[in-house]
Amino acid sequence: MNLSSRQLDAFLALATERHFTRAAEQCHLSQPAFSALIRTLEEGLGLRLFDRSTRHVALTDEGRNFMAAAERIRAEIDAALDAARDSAQLRRGRVSLALLPSLAAGWLPQVLAEFREAHPGIVLEIADVLSEPCIERVAGGQADLALAAIRADTPLLQAEPFCSDDFHLVCRDDHPLVRRRKLTAADLGDWPFIHLARTSSVRQYLEAALHPQPLRTLMEVEQLATVMGMVRAGLGISVVPTLTLFHFQQAGLHTRPLPLPGLSRQVYLVRRRDRSLSPAAQALLALIRQRRP
């Protein structure tokens, strides 16, 4: 049989009150409607759950056995409903965001602080990884959203433009390039260059914009903090996106815009096409759209 929530509540009310009129009132039902619920429950189970007389209502042995299961089922239903309400009202939940390390370190913390203040019960999972791992996490279901420098429009994924990012030269403040009124791609080729790894979107955008201009690569490193240290030591120059400039706000360093044709990075917001977002993920999505850099 299919046990309804109304039958379950009627049984528990009668088992507690041991009186049809009071139990019916507790369930906001007329006594005939209430009695019909109890009767259809017993008929469906094929068991007599209550012994009745004109003055007495008592659980049978089968009724006492059923009551333990009924109380457990009612508690599980209530817990499920509470969890669903908490999720809908953003009191509980989980959201996972994968994004470029430059965004994670510079722009994201204040956004998450605002989100956390509004929704302290939401668990936040952050993956600060390069563009390809960002996309893989969304595709594999490990992340709800991604901010990546890859336009991942596929049958599985949808991407929308999120923000654009220009590039800056970084060098020591005593470097000869500081005094140049206008910089060209050829000017960069005269000096040792500190590169980010070829897997980074920064490197890929830079090489695409400067081609076929060669650069005097001194070294390749994985982290922007390492680029900063090498440049500050006078080992070479570099070119980095605007969103990463917080790494280079250091004494002895100089940064300036590098407005070369085609040298701009587009960041995309990526999500699955076939999955709706949880209320927590929807709330974070709305906030990051409002606070986009």
Side-chain angles (χ1 to χ4, degrees), residues 166-217:
D166 295 328
F167 282 70
H168 283 63
L169 168 74
V170 292
C171 60
R172 280 172 56 114
D173 57 13
D174 58 358
H175 196 280
L177 288 179
V178 173
R179 298 188 296 273
R180 296 280 178 92
R181 293 183 60 187
K182 185 176 180 180
L183 292 175
T184 66
D187 293 327
L188 303 181
D190 294 335
W191 305 97
F193 203 92
I194 312 297
H195 263 305
L196 281 170
R198 293 181 183 275
T199 54
S200 72
S201 62
V202 174
R203 176 72 173 273
Q204 294 163 8
Y205 274 88
L206 181 62
E207 289 188 340
L210 296 182
H211 181 79
Q213 167 67 46
L215 294 174
R216 291 172 53 192
T217 301

Side-chain angles (χ1 to χ4, degrees), residues 24-41:
E25 290 173 352
Q26 182 178 317
C27 294
H28 307 289
L29 293 171
S30 67
Q31 186 166 331
F34 182 85
S35 297
L37 273 180
I38 297 298
R39 183 172 61 253
T40 56
L41 173 61

Side-chain angles (χ1 to χ4, degrees), residues 11 45 50 83 95 105 118 134 148 167 182 185 194 212 214 226 239 243 260 271:
F11 168 80
L45 292 172
F50 295 95
V95 57
C134 280
F167 282 70
K182 185 176 180 180
I194 312 297
T226 308
V239 173
L243 289 172
L260 299 180
R271 54 181 290 194

Side-chain angles (χ1 to χ4, degrees), residues 2-23:
N2 293 322
L3 177 66
S4 72
S5 178
R6 295 182 69 193
Q7 287 175 322
L8 188 67
D9 290 341
F11 168 80
L12 291 172
L14 186 56
T16 301
E17 295 293 337
R18 308 294 176 94
H19 191 281
F20 270 85
T21 301
R22 290 196 299 269

Side-chain angles (χ1 to χ4, degrees), residues 146-167:
L147 295 173
I150 296 176
R151 187 178 189 119
D153 268 321
T154 69
L156 181 66
L157 302 174
Q158 64 182 39
E160 65 180 72
F162 180 69
C163 68
S164 59
D165 201 6
D166 295 328
F167 282 70

Side-chain angles (χ1 to χ4, degrees), residues 35-292:
S35 297
L37 273 180
I38 297 298
R39 183 172 61 253
T40 56
L41 173 61
E42 291 181 320
E43 290 173 353
L45 292 172
L47 294 172
R48 189 173 184 85
L49 302 175
F50 295 95
D51 287 322
R52 304 101 150 141
S53 68
T54 55
R55 303 179 61 181
H56 180 72
V57 176
L59 284 165
T60 64
D61 289 342
E62 291 80 7
R64 282 189 288 272
N65 292 334
F66 184 72
M67 186 171 182
E71 288 175 331
R72 184 178 68 254
I73 293 169
R74 180 74 261 176
E76 290 175 353
I77 292 173
D78 289 343
L81 291 173
D82 288 343
R85 282 191 288 265
D86 285 347
S87 178
Q89 297 171 16
L90 298 176
R91 290 193 294 262
R92 278 194 285 176
R94 181 182 301 271
V95 57
S96 177
L97 174 66
L99 74 170
L100 297 169
S102 55
L103 283 166
W107 164 80
L108 183 65
Q110 189 56 46
V111 176
L112 290 191
E114 183 177 347
F115 185 84
R116 182 75 174 167
E117 182 177 0
H119 311 296
I122 302 298
V123 176
L124 297 167
E125 296 178 353
I126 304 301
D128 51 342
V129 292
L130 298 180
S131 288
E132 289 188 4
C134 280
I135 301 304
E136 290 169 1
R137 284 175 177 267
V138 175
Q142 291 85 37
D144 300 299
L145 304 164
L147 295 173
I150 296 176
R151 187 178 189 119
D153 268 321
T154 69
L156 181 66
L157 302 174
Q158 64 182 39
E160 65 180 72
F162 180 69
C163 68
S164 59
D165 201 6
D166 295 328
F167 282 70
H168 283 63
L169 168 74
V170 292
C171 60
R172 280 172 56 114
D173 57 13
D174 58 358
H175 196 280
L177 288 179
V178 173
R179 298 188 296 273
R180 296 280 178 92
R181 293 183 60 187
K182 185 176 180 180
L183 292 175
T184 66
D187 293 327
L188 303 181
D190 294 335
W191 305 97
F193 203 92
I194 312 297
H195 263 305
L196 281 170
R198 293 181 183 275
T199 54
S200 72
S201 62
V202 174
R203 176 72 173 273
Q204 294 163 8
Y205 274 88
L206 181 62
E207 289 188 340
L210 296 182
H211 181 79
Q213 167 67 46
L215 294 174
R216 291 172 53 192
T217 301
L218 177 68
M219 66 180 72
E220 295 182 2
V221 299
E222 296 284 345
Q223 305 297 331
L224 283 161
T226 308
V227 174
M228 182 276 297
M230 298 300 176
V231 173
R232 188 169 60 179
L235 291 170
I237 65 171
S238 193
V239 173
V240 299
T242 304
L243 289 172
T244 70
L245 287 181
F246 64 93
H247 283 290
F248 300 91
Q249 295 170 349
Q250 305 281 340
L253 290 182
H254 173 80
T255 66
R256 61 184 292 186
L258 191 61
L260 299 180
L263 189 54
S264 179
R265 182 174 67 160
Q266 179 68 55
V267 176
Y268 297 92
L269 174 63
V270 182
R271 54 181 290 194
R272 290 277 293 260
R273 293 183 185 275
D274 60 341
R275 293 184 184 176
S276 59
L277 294 175
S278 68
Q282 291 175 16
L284 182 60
L285 173 59
L287 182 60
I288 64 178
R289 281 174 170 160
Q290 293 172 10
R291 300 291 182 262
R292 69 182 75 204

